[in-house]
Amino acid sequence: MKTGKFKQPEIWLQWLLILAAIWHLTAPALAAPVRIDSVEGPVNLGKFPWKFHLGDDPTWAQPAVNDADWLVVDPTKANEDSPATRFIGYAWYRIEIRLPLNQGTEKPTQVGILYGGSIFDGQEIYANGVKLGQAGISTPGEIGKMPLMQAVLVPVQAIGSDGTVVLAIRYFQDANYVHVFGKGGGLQPQVRVGNLEVLQGIARKGLLERQVSQLDSVLFTGIFFLVGVYHLFLFSRRRQLKEYFWFGLVALAQSVNAACSTFLFQYWIGIGPMHRISPIAVHLELIFAFEFLWPFLSRKIGPVVRGVQVLQVVLLLVCLLAPFRVFYFPLWQQWHFPLMVVPPLLMYLGLTIWKAWQGNPEARTIVTGVGGFVLMEVFEVGASIFSWPQWNAGQWGLLLFLISMAASLANRFARTYKELDTLNQELEQKVIDRTKELDGKNVELADNLKQLELAKSETEGKNQELDRKNLELDRKISELNRKNEELIASQQRADRIFSALAEALPGTVLEGKYRLEDKIGSGGFGAVFRATHLALGTQVAVKVFRPTPGNDSADAVERFRREGTSTARINHPNALRVLDSGISDEGIAYLVMELLEGYSLWEELQKRGYLSLRRTAEILTPVCQALAEAHRLGIVHRDIKPANIFLHRTGEGEVVKVVDFGIAK
């Protein structure tokens, strides 16, 4: 019976196929650790199977985790429908490796791990539960500034005694980018293990290659920045050339846009902000270009252009304030630039061609640059829609535009020099004509000189006569100086006498009616004393006449009386009232006036420096009213000044008074 069964080979073939299938399905899960024969040269772990599990649990980094039920993925046989390539959020990869021991028993000390993330995802790598580092995005929902590739050391304590190391990768994909750029996942573990220095060299080389690939963007950034600063400098020297100001802003905006393509700028501000700043710079560039190009080509900016500028401002605000998913919506990313950037560029090109056809020299010079700029920008837009090659076409276009601008400035200076040469020739001809005219004038001048010689002789005779008269005048001046010295001496004596008199007058009673008290002021004709009217018991002010040479004449006394008479005739609340006047038995001329408390307008101006419009009106209105009353009586003050306007303080408030009618007519 047994012999019969052994004679049926098809049954044994079926069992062998079943066992082969079982072995094929279970072999990856039961596979031994990946053996690393040497750590001197990098070993790519991406060609070995990894275990994969969706979700996030920090304990999955530990080597003792049971991962028997995890999905086994082979990076060399990636399937787009596999969960390992289509997930969003967190997932973990694990692999067990065995490193060679030094001299058979010692753990290796310079083993490194080279790994990396991208601008859309991040990775945290662990060795036997010890976190080694992080690359790519820092956390989901944020735009990180972590290195995209780095080499880290595997600590000795993270290596098992037999060289076994369980590597775990905590992998996360930012859902914001997934919604924008399509399905998630897509990156299988690309990890290398080997000598740390070798891996660090690979990381540095990769960074250097990326930086070298962006040298053109760095070059453009520097060129546009320097051009922008230079034109702003030219504008600061000649403010009337506003085109330089706007063109400088165009170049600076393009400098920011070019900087957004550089690795250092992306690393400095993050990928997300960079994607906002770049379109903002483009919209600012379009706005500034309108302000530059239209006046530069002698064209007034109309409502249509203003409308396009307003639209650019609206789009700029969308780029600045819109939520992440709205701003990175695929349709917005693909069509907002073609629809909103290409029309202004065509407007620039159309205006330049039209002005060039009309004969504008500036337009003829820059039409090639503007055309190249528009063509390159259109190519840049096409690259974003149709996946054309990316080679910084927009930057090259603007560079061509800058070259055409330099040519335009050179032509402008050439035309200026040509005009100056023409002006020089005209000036030389005018100099020749003027020289001939001056020769004729010189002949005429020679005749005039002869006549002047004759006149000179006559003048000398007259000068002798004038010298004689000058001697006589000097004699008279000496006599006047002598008399003036005598007058000054007399004046000084009178001042001393009156000063002594003024000091002695307090307590004096004039004509039995007014007792002088303390001196409260002085003027050109005398001093003012506070006094008491003995009969009425009221306070008054008494102005005493100064008996100085020239003031003791009948005319001076008459003018002193006229001050009292003139002021007494003016019955107005804003004019100083004169109550009495006379000459005492001792020969003292005096005026009795109402006593004022306060200070003059001159003192208030010295204190404040200036008055408000309202305060000025409050003072001048009463002054004008008092003068109007004086003019009505036929009296002209003739000495209105701040010192003769007094701000009298009463219990009811301030009263403006016009004083000193001593020279009234």
Side-chain angles (χ1 to χ4, degrees), residues 119-139:
I119 62 175
F120 304 131
D121 54 38
Q123 298 183 26
E124 293 178 357
I125 190 164
Y126 297 81
N128 283 345
V130 179
K131 183 177 179 180
L132 303 183
Q134 181 175 338
I137 300 175
S138 57
T139 57

Side-chain angles (χ1 to χ4, degrees), residues 103-157:
Q103 298 179 354
T105 57
E106 296 181 0
K107 300 179 183 180
T109 57
Q110 291 297 318
V111 177
I113 298 293
L114 179 66
Y115 69 103
S118 73
I119 62 175
F120 304 131
D121 54 38
Q123 298 183 26
E124 293 178 357
I125 190 164
Y126 297 81
N128 283 345
V130 179
K131 183 177 179 180
L132 303 183
Q134 181 175 338
I137 300 175
S138 57
T139 57
E142 297 181 1
I143 304 303
K145 302 177 183 178
M146 306 296 294
L148 298 184
M149 178 181 294
Q150 59 179 333
V152 294
L153 175 69
V154 179
V156 175
Q157 62 270 23

Side-chain angles (χ1 to χ4, degrees), residues 371-386:
F373 176 49
V374 173
L375 181 62
M376 293 298 101
E377 286 291 345
V378 171
F379 190 94
E380 189 87 357
V381 172
S384 65
I385 299 177
F386 305 110

